[in-house]
Amino acid sequence: MTTSNQALQRLDYLDAVRAFALLLGIVFHASLSFLPVYIGWAIMDISTSALVGTFMLISHSFRMALFFLVAGFFSHMTFHRKGATGFIQSRLIRIVIPFVVGWFLLRPLLVSGWVMGMQSLRGEVAIIASLNEGFNVVLGSLNAAFTGTHLWFLYYLLLATAAVLLMRQIVVWHPRSYRALTQRVDAVVHWLAHSRLAFIVAAIPTVACLWFMGHWGMDTPDKSLVPQWPVLFIYGVFFALGWLLHRQGNVIEAFGRISVGKVFLGVVASMAAVLLSGFEGQPGHPQYPLIKALFLFSYAVMMWSLVALTIGAFKRLFNRPSKTVRYLAGSSYWLYLIHLPIVIWLQIAFAEIPWPWGVKLILISGITIAVCLLLYDVLVRASIIGLMLNGARKRRVLFAWRRTAAFVN
């Protein structure tokens, strides 16, 4: 299928969707200290709420799936704009370099956050000593390099990209079957975007993968570079779906179209998942396997529904050029890369303050985003880092005293 010039045009609302998925991840991490049960996080706040668990369950079900779908959509666009060689080069620059460099810079800061979290339990926090310990731990354990951070999503994005490129090349090598196969795949994607039963059907293989997760719901595969195949399959499917949706131009609009049926399905599935999640800690229940299966099915339907509904909602709200949206979209990658150490340090700073958890969550999320945006405008947007992350140097907005003709809007 030939990609039209219209299909190569960037869609503003999908930029907004990608920014939303990444910013939601910042709020998700900021909420972890407010869970009413200890989960091994760096710090546990004195103010907690069960509502945080509900937010985490729902948001974690779809935020990364949404990101991978949009990443696949834009990847197909970039592939046809730059060609195979240019696309591979751009992925190496935008994914591999941030993954490698980011690990060496961020991993010590994250370890220091955990050290400070333990120190805060004793009523004292030694920042410099914690930083030194963080760097010593990382340098002394390079056998576990590139693990233990939130940058795992770059590794899985790279794996999903490589898998799609490999499958595409295998198909291209067989020109006789190429046309028939692509027509069938396009027909499946078209059906998935238009059928009322699509998300029910798509939930079945998703449940099969979710069954092998370490807990009920999506795992976070940050402990090893050995791929967790169920996680890779789910996120890989969403990446491939985004790739294939771009092949058919405006089919993504049908996929994200908001309807009463989709909203009803998403709401019911979300409510069922929340209600059934309470049984995860009751393995002795006589109906435990059945309850788990019902939960996972609800979770999978929730995942697919919320991905589609988010795309549809953002198309209605942001389907027009906006400097603010483009700025946030351009900065969101940087924000997500560097946010976690800042979030953890702020969680430690706020942990013992007797304020409502909601106030502290808003402050931690807001301060983190503000600091990251400041660093983005000062250090990244107009620099070689911005060129690497965004594909171009862009004019500063917050501190716009430096103007050069080399920058682009």
Side-chain angles (χ1 to χ4, degrees):
M1 178 178 178
T2 302
T3 304
S4 64
N5 291 331
Q6 182 179 4
L8 293 177
Q9 295 177 358
R10 200 148 192 111
L11 300 176
D12 291 276
Y13 77 91
L14 287 181
D15 277 325
V17 169
R18 182 182 60 178
F20 168 76
L22 294 175
L23 292 175
L24 181 59
I26 295 177
V27 180
F28 173 85
H29 288 138
S31 70
L32 289 172
S33 63
F34 303 106
L35 277 173
V37 294
Y38 182 66
I39 60 170
W41 192 245
I43 190 71
M44 185 175 177
D45 202 277
I46 62 171
S47 176
T48 62
S49 173
L51 291 176
V52 175
T54 300
F55 163 75
M56 290 176 56
L57 173 69
I58 295 175
S59 62
H60 189 60
S61 72
F62 78 99
R63 64 183 181 88
M64 271 300 165
L66 180 65
F67 171 81
F68 272 81
L69 186 147
V70 175
F73 188 92
F74 284 138
S75 291
H76 187 266
M77 179 187 297
T78 304
F79 182 87
H80 283 277
R81 188 175 68 243
K82 293 187 175 184
T85 301
F87 174 74
I88 293 173
Q89 290 175 346
S90 71
R91 298 307 92 176
L92 291 175
I93 293 173
R94 298 190 66 179
I95 299 177
V96 177
I97 293 178
F99 177 61
V100 174
V101 175
W103 187 86
F104 281 100
L105 294 178
L106 296 176
R107 176 62 174 160
L109 302 181
L110 294 174
V111 172
S112 71
W114 255 258
V115 173
M116 285 188 285
M118 295 300 296
Q119 292 174 346
S120 69
L121 297 177
R122 303 190 298 268
E124 57 181 18
V125 174
I127 298 177
I128 301 301
S130 299
L131 289 172
N132 287 334
E133 185 171 346
F135 280 98
N136 291 333
V137 168
V138 171
L139 293 176
S141 61
L142 289 180
N143 58 318
F146 309 123
T147 62
T149 72
H150 60 297
L151 301 182
W152 63 265
F153 80 102
L154 293 176
Y155 179 58
Y156 277 71
L157 181 59
L158 188 67
L159 293 176
T161 303
V164 167
L165 289 179
L166 178 61
M167 287 187 291
R168 182 186 185 278
Q169 189 58 49
I170 292 174
V171 172
V172 170
W173 280 337
H174 298 82
R176 291 184 179 180
S177 58
Y178 174 78
R179 182 178 297 275
L181 182 59
T182 53
Q183 287 178 347
R184 291 178 182 176
V185 171
D186 287 342
V188 171
V189 172
H190 187 274
W191 176 85
L192 185 64
H194 290 85
S195 175
R196 296 180 180 180
L197 299 176
F199 297 159
I200 301 294
V201 175
I204 296 174
T206 307
V207 169
C209 293
L210 290 171
W211 189 269
F212 296 99
M213 301 286 175
H215 69 287
W216 289 17
M218 286 297 299
D219 280 347
T220 299
D222 61 348
K223 301 298 189 296
S224 171
L225 290 181
V226 177
Q228 291 189 23
W229 298 110
V231 175
L232 180 59
F233 180 83
I234 290 177
Y235 289 144
V237 164
F238 277 99
F239 181 89
L241 176 60
W243 181 284
L244 295 170
L245 283 170
H246 186 263
R247 277 177 49 85
Q248 301 188 58
N250 62 355
V251 173
I252 193 171
E253 297 181 7
F255 176 80
R257 185 173 295 120
I258 297 177
S259 65
V260 174
K262 283 183 181 178
V263 173
F264 178 79
L265 191 64
V267 170
V268 171
S270 299
M271 292 176 61
V274 171
L275 291 173
L276 294 171
S277 64
F279 290 91
E280 182 178 5
Q282 303 179 34
H285 193 285
Q287 302 299 325
Y288 187 81
L290 175 61
I291 295 174
K292 178 180 178 180
L294 291 174
F295 167 83
L296 295 181
F297 183 75
S298 301
Y299 189 95
V301 174
M302 174 174 65
M303 175 190 295
W304 281 94
S305 300
L306 292 182
V307 166
L309 289 171
T310 302
I311 292 173
F314 273 75
K315 185 179 187 302
R316 290 191 178 186
L317 296 173
F318 301 104
N319 193 26
R320 60 188 181 278
S322 168
K323 291 183 179 179
T324 301
V325 170
R326 288 190 175 183
Y327 185 87
L328 289 175
S331 64
S332 60
Y333 188 22
W334 163 261
L335 264 64
Y336 195 79
L337 288 177
I338 71 162
H339 80 279
L340 194 53
I342 301 173
V343 163
I344 293 173
W345 296 343
L346 288 172
Q347 287 173 331
I348 294 171
F350 280 96
E352 300 296 327
I353 300 178
W355 294 348
W357 68 270
V359 173
K360 290 195 275 189
L361 174 58
I362 292 173
L363 287 173
I364 292 170
S365 302
I367 293 172
T368 299
I369 293 173
V371 170
C372 293
L373 279 175
L374 180 65
L375 293 174
Y376 172 74
D377 206 79
V378 173
L379 301 177
V380 176
R381 187 171 170 85
S383 71
I384 192 172
I385 304 175
L387 176 64
M388 178 182 66
L389 297 181
N390 298 328
R393 298 187 183 190
K394 301 182 181 182
R395 289 191 179 97
R396 291 171 174 166
V397 174
L398 303 178
F399 299 90
W401 59 79
R402 293 179 61 183
R403 307 280 188 179
T404 70
F407 298 159
V408 298
N409 290 322

